[in-house]
Amino acid sequence: MLALQADISLAQTPDAPPAAVEELPHSSAEPDVKSDTVTVQRGDLQQTVEATGKLQFHQFADVNVQVAGQIKDVPVAVGDAVREGKLVMEISPTIRANQMENNRAQMARLRAELADQQAQTDFAELQFKRQTQLKAQNATREESFEASRMSLSSARARMDAIHAQIQQLEATLKSDEESMRHTQVLAPLSGTVVALNARAGQTVSIGQTGGPLLRIADLSQMTVQARVAEVDVTRLRRGMTANFTTPGYAGRTWSGKLRQVIPVPAEGTGEQGKQTFYNVLFEVDNPEQELMSGMTAQVQFIVAQAKDALLLPVNLLGKPDAAGIYQVHVLNPDRRIVARKVKIGMRTAQQAQVLSGLEVGEQVLTGPVPTPAPTLRPAAPKGMP
């Protein structure tokens, strides 16, 4: 803020003889002695919430195997750019081709057994049907009827058993064929290889513990995760502008729009007397891939802002009246001090937005109104009252 020095001199009678000095009451219309002033100027004003954060990947995918076996080849390295569908790993599965052939041969044998058993079951049904007719005519023995009934039940049971074996073997063959198709691991998205924990010759299994074998991230957009104190987080809203700087690029500023406030305390905060913080997320474009995961971000969330506003230092306002109006003293063009009623809008710790009462270029006193200088007048002759 520009501070100006104004010289204000009181009129004094020239060549006046020594006289008694009389203090005059101060009037806002009286010229004054030297006073410091601040010039009312236009500028932009912002209310912000400060926070510290970290950059992290916005979109990434972890690559693991879907078949047990041994890694045959890893044709990529950390830092390589890959496109979706590109081969990033090749597996030699534990299941061998000859094992699948044995399963297919067993399937053929079971289907032959099923056909033979179907014929036997059809014959047993005919026998039972004939015995049932004879029994109705009292032309057969009870033992013959029961024997045909038991033969049919046994044939049907053998049919069910063969069907179950075939279903089990079909599931095994389907799983084996699916595993053989997964011997080539393809990139799930386009991006950059940022982590690699796989090497040729390494034995792997489905669902193995530990980190991913390979991670691919899209670096064209990053996420900033900022930690905001609970006293400030209630002022944040989705879609508001967030600016940040990072030590690696001095003098540069990036911007994004607030996406989400995580509604649970950040890990390690709010316990045993610790201050509570909340994680706030927003994205930033990174077309040149200058920003990297793990970089520190000094974040400013813009809560409110006023463009081209009249600005006045907050320390000049004093206390408002019952209507919220402030009084300041202005040095007018006639170099006289006048009082003004001022209405204030948005304010920060340093500056306030003037809504009415002042104009751009006017000079506001920075301190109390000075006491008027004394006026000299001739002393009365002796004998005169």
Side-chain angles (χ1 to χ4, degrees):
M1 186 61 67
L2 178 63
L4 299 180
Q5 195 76 7
D7 291 332
I8 312 166
S9 301
L10 287 177
Q12 184 170 350
T13 305
D15 302 326
V21 177
E22 181 180 352
E23 295 286 341
L24 296 180
H26 174 75
S27 169
S28 61
E30 288 290 333
D32 207 349
V33 294
K34 292 182 178 180
S35 299
D36 290 335
T37 62
V38 169
T39 301
V40 179
Q41 296 181 339
R42 288 193 177 277
D44 298 337
L45 193 62
Q46 292 181 343
Q47 286 182 346
T48 61
V49 168
E50 310 287 332
T52 301
K54 290 284 187 181
L55 280 102
Q56 59 189 25
F57 301 125
H58 173 58
Q59 185 179 16
F60 66 91
D62 291 338
V63 178
N64 286 303
V65 297
Q66 299 182 46
V67 55
Q70 189 177 54
I71 297 176
K72 181 179 179 181
D73 186 27
V74 183
V76 295
V78 173
D80 286 354
V82 297
R83 297 191 64 83
E84 182 178 355
K86 179 183 176 180
L87 178 68
V88 294
M89 197 182 308
E90 191 171 2
I91 308 295
S92 295
T94 303
I95 300 171
R96 301 297 180 184
N98 58 353
Q99 181 178 342
M100 292 185 64
E101 289 300 323
N102 290 336
N103 289 337
R104 291 193 182 99
Q106 186 178 355
M107 176 65 74
R109 179 178 59 79
L110 286 173
R111 291 190 185 282
E113 289 182 7
L114 180 64
D116 178 67
Q117 188 60 44
Q118 182 67 58
Q120 295 183 37
T121 303
D122 293 342
F123 178 75
E125 287 178 346
L126 289 174
Q127 289 292 96
F128 179 68
K129 184 177 180 180
R130 177 177 175 78
Q131 286 295 323
T132 301
Q133 292 173 346
L134 292 173
K135 182 179 180 182
Q137 299 172 2
N138 291 322
T140 186
R141 294 182 300 174
E142 184 69 22
E143 292 83 358
S144 298
F145 172 79
E146 289 297 330
S148 66
R149 185 174 66 84
M150 290 296 296
S151 296
L152 178 58
S153 297
S154 177
R156 287 174 174 172
R158 287 195 295 272
M159 285 277 295
D160 291 340
I162 296 173
H163 272 299
Q165 293 180 50
I166 290 175
Q167 290 177 353
Q168 182 179 8
L169 194 56
E170 283 177 341
T172 300
L173 281 170
K174 184 177 180 180
S175 177
D176 292 348
E177 291 171 356
E178 189 73 15
S179 296
M180 292 299 290
R181 283 198 297 269
H182 289 143
T183 57
Q184 291 189 332
V185 182
L186 308 180
L189 56 81
S190 298
T192 302
V193 178
V194 295
L196 182 61
N197 299 306
R199 66 184 186 279
Q202 179 180 348
T203 301
V204 292
S205 60
I206 302 174
Q208 67 181 31
T209 59
L213 293 175
L214 186 145
R215 174 172 289 180
I216 300 172
D218 180 4
L219 303 182
S220 64
Q221 191 176 51
M222 303 292 287
T223 292
V224 179
Q225 177 176 291
R227 287 161 57 99
V228 179
E230 63 175 313
V231 69
D232 293 322
V233 75
T234 54
R235 302 169 63 194
L236 303 184
R237 295 292 181 270
R238 184 176 182 178
M240 65 172 41
T241 299
N243 300 323
F244 75 93
T245 60
T246 185
Y249 296 98
R252 293 191 58 181
T253 301
W254 283 265
S255 296
K257 298 292 183 181
L258 193 154
R259 171 169 60 89
Q260 184 181 15
V261 177
I262 305 300
V264 294
E267 185 177 355
T269 71
E271 300 176 356
Q272 299 180 352
K274 294 181 181 178
Q275 187 177 1
T276 303
F277 289 84
Y278 290 86
N279 287 323
V280 180
L281 306 177
F282 66 93
E283 276 67 55
V284 58
D285 291 335
N286 188 33
E288 303 299 326
Q289 300 186 7
E290 299 169 303
L291 298 173
M292 293 177 282
S293 176
M295 282 185 168
T296 301
Q298 299 296 331
V299 184
Q300 280 190 338
F301 295 98
I302 300 177
V303 178
Q305 60 182 340
K307 297 287 188 179
D308 196 32
L310 289 178
L311 302 180
L312 192 66
V314 170
N315 57 8
L316 303 186
L317 294 178
K319 294 183 179 180
D321 61 18
I325 302 299
Y326 295 85
Q327 178 174 293
V328 298
H329 291 87
V330 177
L331 181 65
N332 68 13
D334 297 330
R335 306 187 65 74
R336 296 175 184 274
I337 299 173
V338 294
R340 292 282 184 83
K341 297 291 186 179
V342 178
K343 185 177 181 181
I344 296 300
M346 191 176 72
R347 59 193 295 170
T348 65
Q350 292 79 32
Q351 293 181 314
Q353 177 191 16
V354 178
L355 299 179
S356 63
L358 293 173
E359 298 293 337
V360 65
E362 290 192 305
Q363 298 181 19
V364 179
L365 266 65
T366 61
V369 178
T371 302
T375 300
L376 301 178
R377 63 181 180 180
K382 290 184 179 180
M384 296 291 291

